[in-house]
Amino acid sequence: MPPAKPSADTMRSRERLPLHLGAGKALVAHLSAAELAEFLDRLGEHTRADGTTVDRAGFLRDLAEIRDRGYSEAASEREPGMASVAAPVLDPDGTAHAAVQVSGHQEDLPADRLDQLGAEVRRAAHAIARRAC
């Protein structure tokens, strides 16, 4: 049965996702200081799909919030109208190896559900880490 609302968030095989948007931010938030500095130097200022421009200071604030919360949130960053919540899969040293993400249309991931979804993706990421890292 086809979904009621086809997802606009599709990927081609072997497509690489940007690390500065969506679930990628959950990974970038756990880079070492040297890796993060190098990444930010290459990234520079960037614009999200919703037209929001993000500078280095704003991106660093986002990453600090992600580390504090334990998961990333995104709305219309890569694809207009799409949203996601993602948590990193961390090894015992705190290195991120992957991320667990829930994504969908923004109306299906309303702001009042993000904390609950964040807790769920964190639990899933911890379960994976216990088995794989």
Side-chain angles (χ1 to χ4, degrees):
M1 169 181 277
K5 293 182 284 191
S7 175
D9 193 17
T10 58
M11 292 179 53
R12 294 182 312 275
S13 178
R14 297 182 178 215
E15 179 181 358
R16 291 181 180 214
L17 293 174
L19 287 175
H20 63 285
L21 303 172
K25 296 185 301 182
L27 301 172
V28 172
H30 294 279
L31 292 176
S32 70
E35 291 169 326
L36 180 58
E38 181 181 339
F39 176 79
L40 292 172
D41 288 344
R42 284 185 281 129
L43 177 63
E45 189 173 274
H46 62 278
T47 304
R48 296 176 176 161
D50 66 2
T52 304
T53 300
V54 181
D55 63 11
R56 187 180 187 120
F59 191 63
L60 286 170
R61 282 192 300 276
D62 286 349
L63 296 179
E65 289 176 15
I66 292 164
R67 282 189 297 275
D68 290 344
R69 220 179 17 239
Y71 61 90
S72 64
E73 299 173 355
S76 290
E77 288 189 358
R78 192 172 70 84
E79 294 285 341
M82 300 301 293
S84 68
V85 178
V89 175
L90 303 172
D91 70 16
D93 295 327
T95 301
H97 293 276
V100 175
Q101 175 179 271
V102 173
S103 65
H105 293 271
Q106 281 182 265
E107 62 267 19
D108 296 328
L109 297 173
D112 64 345
R113 289 191 58 213
L114 295 182
D115 286 341
Q116 174 192 1
L117 292 169
E120 293 296 331
V121 294
R122 286 183 69 196
R123 274 194 283 280
H126 288 300
I128 294 167
R130 280 194 308 273
R131 290 176 178 84
C133 295

